[in-house]
Amino acid sequence: MKKLIYMDNAATTPTKQEVLDEMLPYFNVRYGNPSSIYSLGSHSRTAVEISREAIANTINAKAREIFFTAGGTEADNWALKGVAYANRDKGNHIITSKIEHQGILHTCGYLEKQGFKVTYLDVDEYGVIDLEQLEESITDETILISIMFANNEIGTIQPIKEVGRIAKEKNIYFHTDAVQAIGHIKVDVDELNIDMLSMAAHKFYGPKGIGALYIRQGVKIDPLIIGGGQERNRRAGTENVPGIVGMGKAIELAYEDLNEKNKRLIYLRERLVKGIFDNIDHVRLNGHPTKRLPNNVNICFEFIEGESLLLSLDMEGIAGSSGSACTSGTLEPSHVLLGIGLPHEIAHGSLRLSLGDYNTEDEVDYVVEKLTDIVARLRAMSPLYEQAKEVR
Ligand SMILES: *Cc1c(COP(=O)(O)O)cnc(C)c1O
């Protein structure tokens, strides 16, 4: 088998060996239940608290404000449903954006069915929300603003500090889905006036199925998972101790030499974009040119289906992602690409390549070379492309 070139780090990342090494004893040696009072249990409890502390420190929160969940989606569900149900007496209005992750959008859809009102803010051509529209959307009924930190498809980073300032001024809770940001950009919940924040370990070289919700002290929020008294009565269920240990180690590693790592990623990103633009015509870079994640490249190739592009890349050992998802037999283009105003036919030809710590310059050059060949081959079958060439 050919060597795999993995450029889908926004979907998930491999668990780092050092992270896995920290986790392993907690499966079969230090396997105690953190709630048990004998030493085996308290060892687990200590490990959980060390990890909580490490996570809190990286975002300038207190350890008691970090609650472990089974990942980013659960954290998103909890923030939205928990605040909605606990603050019903204050109001029934939530503000979010059109380009959030499904974990937010589908939860909002569910809450609408429960009688809540949701405003979905527009974004501009780069995927940035309009702060004026945000301010105008706020009513006496507004209880929560939920705006993602950075977009998982196009990498655009939102004006989080401004959103935090507006939310604070109006005394409205502010939640951010920071699943793409944590481990990749420095986040300070105090400086940014964030009340709740979702994160997931598998997006920063930790294990899957573990995440956390930061909840600022004093925020009124109902639990989502009900049962035992774990996580100080706010998230029931025996703790995922190996996952929690892995998440703590992963977040520490992620913020070591962050600037160095990001400089390298930005260099690789720019090399990839330049390579594509120099070699292929009728392409478009999606997302903001500068206010974007260091590792995100999202490109539309006109006259091409994203799915065929992905399959051809896979045959060359290259793993990427496209915005389109096959739902009930019809290819629906990504809501994010439609949100930035792209017409359906262009949104269909999108490719996301998200770089990671293990990608190299040689890999970037190889991907550009293969992509150039594949795009030419696929376009040779497109009558529309032939017409467009003639017009030029
Ligand atoms: C991956 C992702 C999620 C979901 O996290 P899971 O841990 O997979 O549930 C939510 N929001 C964003 C922005 C993501 O990228």
Side-chain angles (χ1 to χ4, degrees):
M1 208 183 92
K2 249 194 229 117
K3 187 178 160 265
L4 173 73
I5 297 185
Y6 186 72
M7 291 199 182
D8 201 15
N9 289 278
T12 195
T13 54
T15 302
K16 284 203 164 144
Q17 188 61 48
E18 294 148 276
V19 171
L20 185 61
D21 291 343
E22 291 276 319
M23 291 171 67
L24 284 176
Y26 291 92
F27 284 98
N28 58 354
V29 182
R30 303 197 147 208
Y31 53 81
N33 187 319
S35 301
S36 302
I37 55 160
Y38 40 78
S39 317
L40 192 67
S42 61
H43 286 153
S44 294
R45 191 158 63 248
T46 304
V48 166
E49 294 317 316
I50 288 172
S51 175
R52 199 189 307 281
E53 188 84 42
I55 293 163
N57 285 342
T58 58
I59 62 167
N60 192 24
K62 300 183 195 79
R64 53 187 289 117
E65 296 173 317
I66 302 294
F67 297 88
F68 291 107
T69 65
T73 303
E74 186 191 319
D76 284 348
N77 268 261
W78 185 8
L80 266 53
K81 292 176 188 166
V83 165
Y85 291 140
N87 296 276
R88 248 186 175 145
D89 55 327
K90 291 205 199 84
N92 69 345
H93 180 228
I94 295 165
I95 302 174
T96 187
S97 86
K98 285 188 177 156
I99 63 164
E100 299 292 312
H101 188 272
Q102 273 91 346
I104 295 292
L105 288 180
H106 292 174
T107 305
C108 283
Y110 163 83
L111 287 171
E112 282 184 288
K113 286 198 202 117
Q114 308 298 310
F116 291 91
K117 292 204 171 63
V118 181
T119 301
Y120 300 89
L121 299 178
D122 297 318
V123 293
D124 66 13
E125 58 178 315
Y126 301 120
V128 181
I129 58 157
D130 179 347
L131 292 168
E132 260 172 49
Q133 193 192 13
L134 168 63
E135 287 194 271
E136 285 161 11
S137 306
I138 294 171
T139 71
D140 293 343
E141 293 285 314
T142 310
I143 49 175
L144 176 66
I145 298 169
S146 180
I147 300 293
M148 72 199 315
F149 207 109
N151 186 269
N152 46 303
E153 288 187 35
I154 57 174
T156 301
I157 298 170
Q158 298 295 348
I160 292 300
K161 191 166 187 172
E162 286 74 15
V163 177
R165 183 181 48 75
I166 292 167
K168 191 173 183 177
E169 262 168 34
K170 307 273 179 171
N171 209 12
I172 298 165
Y173 290 141
F174 173 35
H175 165 256
T176 184
D177 174 344
V179 175
Q180 289 290 333
I182 294 299
H184 303 276
I185 351 184
K186 195 88 197 85
V187 176
D188 180 325
V189 291
D190 272 352
E191 186 197 324
L192 300 172
N193 284 312
I194 295 166
D195 295 311
M196 281 156 287
L197 176 149
S198 305
M199 59 178 108
H202 74 106
K203 303 287 174 78
F204 52 86
Y205 307 94
K208 293 168 187 56
I210 183 72
L213 181 64
Y214 154 76
I215 307 174
R216 182 179 292 281
Q217 220 167 340
V219 168
K220 226 178 127 199
I221 181 168
D222 279 359
L224 180 69
I225 309 288
I226 297 167
Q230 291 90 351
E231 297 294 276
R232 299 203 325 283
N233 284 318
R234 295 178 103 170
R235 201 286 188 179
T238 301
E239 297 85 344
N240 174 356
V241 180
I244 290 170
V245 167
M247 184 170 177
K249 181 71 182 173
I251 208 163
E252 277 182 358
L253 292 177
Y255 283 99
E256 265 174 24
D257 312 317
L258 183 70
N259 289 341
E260 264 41 49
K261 280 187 277 194
N262 280 344
K263 257 188 226 150
R264 204 185 77 89
L265 285 172
I266 290 170
Y267 168 75
L268 292 179
R269 179 188 79 191
E270 296 308 307
R271 189 178 176 94
L272 181 55
V273 171
K274 184 171 186 306
I276 293 170
F277 274 74
D278 284 351
N279 289 287
I280 309 174
D281 56 23
H282 288 91
V283 289
R284 193 202 124 99
L285 177 69
N286 298 313
H288 198 280
T290 53
K291 287 179 214 150
R292 72 188 298 137
L293 290 169
N295 72 337
N296 173 287
V297 173
N298 188 310
I299 302 238
C300 281
F301 298 84
E302 281 183 64
F303 315 106
I304 281 194
E305 277 288 343
E307 301 290 310
S308 2
L309 196 53
L310 280 188
L311 291 175
S312 304
L313 284 170
D314 184 38
M315 287 197 278
E316 302 293 344
I318 301 164
S321 147
S322 97
S324 351
C326 203
T327 32
S328 62
T330 57
L331 273 182
E332 260 306 298
S334 130
H335 67 284
V336 175
L337 297 179
L338 296 181
I340 61 172
L342 294 187
H344 276 242
E345 67 275 15
I346 294 188
H348 269 306
S350 71
L351 174 70
R352 178 187 71 187
L353 295 170
S354 40
L355 301 159
D357 290 357
Y358 299 117
N359 290 125
T360 63
E361 200 173 300
D362 283 349
E363 287 183 340
V364 166
D365 295 345
Y366 179 81
V367 168
V368 170
E369 185 191 317
K370 290 298 166 193
L371 206 47
T372 307
D373 294 347
I374 293 166
V375 169
R377 182 161 50 76
L378 293 174
R379 280 181 177 169
M381 296 184 270
S382 157
L384 285 172
Y385 181 65
E386 290 305 312
Q387 275 175 20
K389 270 202 317 203
E390 275 160 34
V391 173
R392 290 201 322 156

